[in-house]
Amino acid sequence: MNSLKEILLGEIEDFRKVGHKFLDGELNLMQFKHESGGMGMYAHRGGKEFMIRFRIPSGVTDSDELNLIYDYAKKHSLGGIHFTTRQAIQLHGLTLDGACDLMKEGLEVNLFTRGAGGNFPRNVALSPLAGVDKEEEFDPTPYALAVGNHFLKKIYTYKLPRKLKVSFSNSFKDTAHCTVQDLGFVAVKKDGKEYFKVYIGGGLGNNPRKAIELDELIEAKDVLYYIEGMTNLFIAEGDYKNRAKARIRYIADRMGDEEFVNQFKLYTKAEKEKGGLELKLHPTEIKKEGIKTEVKDKRLIEQKQEGLYTVYLHPVGGQLKLEDLREILDTIDNFEDVEVRLAMTEGVYFRNLNGKEAETLLNITKKMGGEAEIYHSVACIGVPTCQIGIGNSQGLLFDIIDYFKGKDYSSDLMPRVHISGCTNSCGVHEIGKIGFTGKKKRVDDAVKDVFGLFINGDFTVENVRLGEFKGDMLPERIPEFLYELAMKLEDGNIKFEDYIKEDEFMNLVNKYSV
């Protein structure tokens, strides 16, 4: 029997032929996308350059792997790498053959692209501070990795209606967005035992939906039964004919919440009766000796391990320049037992640093991203790269950041902004305190690019809600709108959550709306 790698390597060479048919005009864009998504590759707008997405398992990586990715990017003369909103790394601007070659090179060192797009189980999301967070219930890292490996072992066999997204969070802060996923597991500790609170049938994008909370806790060891139960329910009840209605949340809409939950439980029960999927896992113990630091920095996080710290880096738009990555790697390669975790926010956490190491890393990364929340804003790749994008989300983000930096803004009263180039919500605008989504609108007798404004979304377990649409704005006026909002908060020393309840807030929105 061929190994997984042998099967996937063969797929790549078959796919390369498909790619050349696309370049030669024998396949149209949608035909190519149907083939390329499941390989973890997409064509840029224009169809001459390509992107590949490495599915970093639950965002867990290290300096060795990042050095490999750096080498790949350098070899292909790329300017940088892109951290995504689902803990993956994308390389943009590749040739077709260059992308296929990298897919093969990655496979040899367990860097997979298979199933990173298309109708497949996607990268399993995980709270990036799992294992070091002082406020966590317990560390779900081994469970997230086990589920990811479970998917990957048979990734080429899936025939799903559309993608399947699974997340694990280490607390009710829900930094892996379990409350708006197809299937989410939130860590809960009760009477000294590890459980998960389970959420099903959620999702963002067109017709977004909060997930349904199951009424009982499940034992942590049983997560794979719930994974298989949901997968089989999706295959049996998902819509294979209408792509627009093919996500799991539409099954819940059609059945109603109660029947959907009942069916999910029946499918899960059937898997439990088969048996053989129990997990016996333990998190890796961190034994590194700590050193305290007195440095104060918003990007510095004190871990639950005494004397150890995490440093957060947020390159604008998740776009980390290659020379900056090189400087970081040259620095952390000299540190002991450093972990790297990618976030759902296009950022990266460097973990298990002693105080001296943390100070060094804070110093060299200071110029690579800001400290205030507004500088940690999120944007999908958007126009002009994305084939289906409507708005230039990255362009808008850089305009916002430049505007605020030009004003020397440094307050945290202003929350981060989430920007999606279209209604697909890759920038998770629907669960941000401030969200924008690209669209077209007739303004003054001409069709123009605008961004719809969404306010007061939240993904935390206790407050999960979708943002409310408040109006459309021209992109060139959005930085000014946000800065005036920031000044209102600062002048009144008022929290964003309180200000948006006042009439004055809607007066401000109306001032900039079209």
Side-chain angles (χ1 to χ4, degrees):
M1 181 180 293
N2 289 336
S3 69
L4 175 64
K5 284 186 180 179
E6 287 173 330
I7 292 169
L8 298 187
L9 284 170
E11 285 186 334
I12 293 170
E13 286 310 309
D14 291 339
F15 171 71
R16 192 192 298 266
K17 297 172 185 176
V18 172
H20 278 286
K21 286 184 178 181
F22 169 65
L23 290 176
D24 293 340
E26 298 177 42
L27 297 177
N28 64 34
L29 176 63
M30 291 311 297
Q31 289 170 322
F32 176 70
K33 185 179 178 184
H34 179 74
E35 299 291 336
S36 73
M39 301 299 292
M41 179 201 285
Y42 289 98
H44 284 199
R45 186 168 293 202
K48 302 300 182 185
E49 293 185 331
F50 300 84
M51 171 274 284
I52 61 170
R53 179 183 297 145
F54 290 115
R55 53 185 300 160
I56 308 300
S58 300
V60 179
T61 184
D62 56 29
S63 62
D64 290 340
E65 194 165 71
L66 289 176
N67 270 295
L68 279 171
I69 293 173
Y70 170 87
D71 289 341
Y72 294 162
K74 185 75 171 177
K75 176 181 176 182
H76 291 266
S77 302
L78 307 184
I81 66 174
H82 178 210
F83 299 126
T84 76
T85 54
R86 200 165 184 85
Q87 298 171 307
I89 293 177
Q90 294 178 174
L91 300 182
H92 290 272
L94 297 163
T95 65
L96 174 74
D97 285 309
C100 289
D101 290 346
L102 281 184
M103 290 162 67
K104 292 179 69 174
E105 289 182 52
L107 263 181
E108 297 296 340
V109 291
N110 295 317
L111 264 174
F112 293 84
T113 64
R114 191 65 168 94
N119 303 334
F120 293 87
R122 297 297 181 84
N123 198 23
V124 177
L126 171 68
S127 296
L129 292 177
V132 301
D133 187 349
K134 286 184 173 184
E135 299 178 10
E136 72 182 358
E137 294 288 311
F138 67 87
D139 180 7
T141 298
Y143 297 97
L145 293 176
V147 171
N149 189 53
H150 177 78
F151 284 143
L152 195 57
K153 284 189 296 186
K154 52 181 179 176
I155 192 67
Y156 61 95
T157 69
Y158 284 96
K159 304 292 182 185
L160 302 179
R162 280 200 72 191
K163 57 192 169 187
L164 171 64
K165 290 186 173 183
V166 177
S167 288
F168 284 80
S169 282
N170 64 343
S171 75
F172 278 15
K173 290 185 291 186
D174 193 15
T175 50
H177 304 170
C178 295
T179 53
V180 287
Q181 299 289 296
D182 296 310
L183 179 56
F185 300 91
V186 178
V188 176
K189 204 157 191 177
K190 183 178 179 182
D191 300 327
K193 191 172 181 179
E194 295 177 355
Y195 298 90
F196 286 111
K197 171 70 76 174
V198 181
Y199 294 83
I200 63 173
L204 303 179
N206 290 317
N207 303 309
R209 197 184 209 276
K210 295 187 294 184
I212 304 162
E213 179 183 327
L214 293 197
D215 54 5
E216 75 272 5
L217 299 175
I218 73 161
E219 292 187 54
K221 67 181 179 64
D222 289 336
V223 294
L224 287 181
Y225 292 119
Y226 290 82
I227 293 292
E228 286 298 287
M230 180 58 79
T231 303
N232 293 336
L233 171 59
F234 193 20
I235 291 170
E237 297 291 344
D239 193 333
Y240 283 87
K241 295 181 179 179
N242 183 357
R243 181 175 173 80
K245 298 286 186 180
R247 295 295 301 277
I248 286 173
R249 61 183 177 272
Y250 293 104
I251 303 175
D253 286 342
R254 186 178 75 243
M255 290 183 173
D257 288 6
E258 184 176 350
E259 179 60 17
F260 178 63
V261 169
N262 288 338
Q263 288 297 314
F264 173 64
K265 289 182 176 179
L266 285 173
Y267 277 93
T268 301
K269 181 182 178 184
E271 290 303 312
K272 286 183 176 179
E273 289 172 352
K274 295 177 187 176
L277 293 178
E278 289 88 355
L279 296 172
K280 296 180 180 179
L281 303 172
H282 302 282
T284 302
E285 186 178 353
I286 298 170
K287 298 180 179 180
K288 182 173 177 176
E289 186 175 345
I291 299 174
K292 288 282 189 179
T293 179
E294 301 301 322
V295 167
K296 303 297 181 185
D297 191 300
K298 295 172 186 175
R299 298 176 297 131
L300 182 67
I301 301 159
E302 190 173 350
Q303 297 183 185
K304 65 182 181 182
Q305 294 84 10
E306 187 175 0
L308 294 183
Y309 302 85
T310 292
V311 169
Y312 179 62
L313 171 63
H314 190 100
V316 178
Q319 309 279 359
L320 184 61
K321 296 177 182 177
L322 215 55
E323 61 265 29
D324 290 342
L325 176 58
R326 183 70 269 152
E327 187 175 2
I328 291 169
L329 292 174
D330 287 343
T331 301
I332 67 172
D333 282 345
N334 297 314
F335 296 167
E336 176 192 355
D337 297 332
V338 176
E339 288 185 353
V340 184
R341 299 274 180 110
L342 308 184
M344 302 282 279
T345 52
E346 299 179 315
V348 56
Y349 290 87
F350 299 93
R351 309 175 359 145
N352 297 344
L353 306 168
N354 65 40
K356 296 298 183 184
E357 293 168 341
E359 290 171 13
T360 300
L361 192 57
L362 284 169
N363 185 51
I364 72 157
T365 57
K366 197 172 186 67
K367 66 181 186 299
M368 301 176 192
E371 292 183 45
E373 278 293 289
I374 189 67
Y375 302 124
H376 294 174
S377 294
V378 174
C380 69
I381 200 66
V383 173
T385 301
C386 180
Q387 289 282 1
I388 61 174
I390 298 173
N392 187 348
S393 44
Q394 287 273 323
L396 174 58
L397 175 62
F398 275 82
D399 287 346
I400 292 168
I401 300 303
D402 288 345
Y403 196 96
F404 274 77
K405 283 188 175 179
K407 302 288 187 180
D408 292 324
Y409 184 81
S410 61
S411 171
D412 268 334
L413 285 173
M414 187 67 178
R416 68 180 59 177
V417 177
H418 292 260
I419 307 169
S420 299
C422 69
T423 55
N424 279 356
S425 198
C426 293
V428 299
H429 66 274
E430 291 157 323
I431 51 171
K433 291 182 179 180
I434 302 175
F436 288 99
T437 182
K439 57 198 291 191
K440 299 283 188 181
K441 184 174 184 176
R442 183 168 291 277
V443 180
D444 297 330
D445 297 324
V447 176
K448 296 186 177 181
D449 291 327
V450 299
F451 280 85
L453 170 66
F454 290 78
I455 290 293
N456 205 29
D458 198 314
F459 52 81
T460 58
V461 167
E462 295 170 341
N463 299 303
V464 57
R465 58 180 175 267
L466 300 172
E468 297 179 17
F469 173 71
K470 295 297 184 182
D472 298 319
M473 296 182 182
L474 295 169
E476 58 266 28
R477 298 209 68 198
I478 289 174
E480 184 182 353
F481 159 71
L482 292 174
Y483 187 71
E484 187 169 346
L485 171 59
M487 291 301 97
K488 297 284 188 183
L489 300 179
E490 197 146 323
D491 292 344
N493 192 28
I494 184 172
K495 292 182 179 179
F496 172 80
E497 294 82 358
D498 295 329
Y499 182 70
I500 59 175
K501 298 174 185 177
E502 299 184 3
D503 292 340
E504 185 181 345
F505 171 69
M506 276 311 301
N507 291 337
L508 180 62
V509 170
N510 293 334
K511 174 182 173 181
Y512 287 91
S513 295
V514 292

